[in-house]
Amino acid sequence: MRSKLILGFALLAAVVLLVSGLALRALGRSNDRFSDYLDGVGLRERLANQIRGAATRRAIAARNLVLVTQPADREVEKALVTQAHEDMGKALARLQEAVAAAAGLDQRDRELVAEIGRIETRYGPVALDIVGKSLNDRHDDAIAKMNAECRPPAGGAAEGEQRLHRL
């Protein structure tokens, strides 16, 4: 009887150890998937949001720079537009690096990030030109450039929003 109890207990202990080992292995894999998400999809989403935020801050600061008249206000807006432009460049570079390093992305995702880069390449100099015109007291030229080159075509803003959320 005693040997049967010891054998039964040993068998039960072995089953508990096996189930515990399998649970730890599954938990480790789940933790790895979660870490991959945070370092992959989550990182790219945060960077896309940073790009969007920097673009918005830059546009608002450039608009405000055209509108303000006090020298102190102009300096504040100039600092804000400069910082937002730098933030945009850094976030875009980090997003491009993250996409280049990502293994599980399809070609469409890579094309969307490339499109963001192309748009920034075209729009960045326009924004800086508006800022330059405003700082050189050419407000009418800055306003005209803003109206001509900074307004999205019909449906353009919605399409851009969809592209950012696709990432």
Side-chain angles (χ1 to χ4, degrees):
M1 185 66 140
R2 183 175 178 191
S3 62
K4 285 183 180 181
L5 283 174
I6 290 174
L7 183 62
F9 182 73
L11 185 61
L12 190 58
V15 169
V16 167
L17 286 175
L18 178 67
V19 169
S20 297
L22 291 173
L24 285 174
R25 183 175 172 207
L27 183 61
R29 281 189 284 175
S30 176
N31 188 43
D32 290 342
R33 284 191 312 269
F34 183 67
S35 294
D36 288 344
Y37 173 80
L38 290 178
D39 294 337
V41 174
L43 173 66
R44 291 188 304 272
E45 180 181 2
R46 283 190 306 277
L47 291 170
N49 285 332
Q50 287 176 8
I51 289 170
R52 181 179 175 195
T56 300
R57 287 184 291 121
R58 180 176 62 188
I60 291 170
R63 179 207 59 205
N64 290 347
L65 188 59
V66 171
L67 298 175
V68 297
T69 57
Q70 300 298 319
D73 293 337
R74 289 174 60 146
E75 288 303 315
V76 168
E77 296 302 331
K78 178 184 174 189
L80 290 173
V81 77
T82 301
Q83 184 62 52
H85 186 71
E86 290 174 8
D87 292 347
M88 167 65 92
K90 290 176 187 175
L92 182 57
R94 288 184 60 208
L95 179 61
Q96 289 169 335
E97 290 171 8
V99 167
L105 294 180
D106 62 15
Q107 187 60 29
R108 177 73 176 137
D109 294 330
R110 295 179 193 285
E111 289 171 0
L112 289 171
V113 171
E115 179 67 14
I116 292 171
R118 282 189 293 275
I119 290 169
E120 174 56 20
T121 301
R122 288 191 336 245
Y123 180 73
V126 171
L128 294 179
D129 189 38
I130 291 168
V131 168
K133 288 178 187 313
S134 181
L135 290 173
N136 291 323
D137 292 323
R138 295 175 50 206
H139 297 287
D140 291 337
D141 292 342
I143 291 170
K145 187 164 188 93
M146 213 182 317
N147 287 334
E149 298 182 38
C150 294
R151 297 180 65 189
E159 183 181 331
E161 285 286 317
Q162 290 173 352
R163 286 181 180 175
L164 277 178
H165 288 293
R166 168 103 163 84
L167 293 174

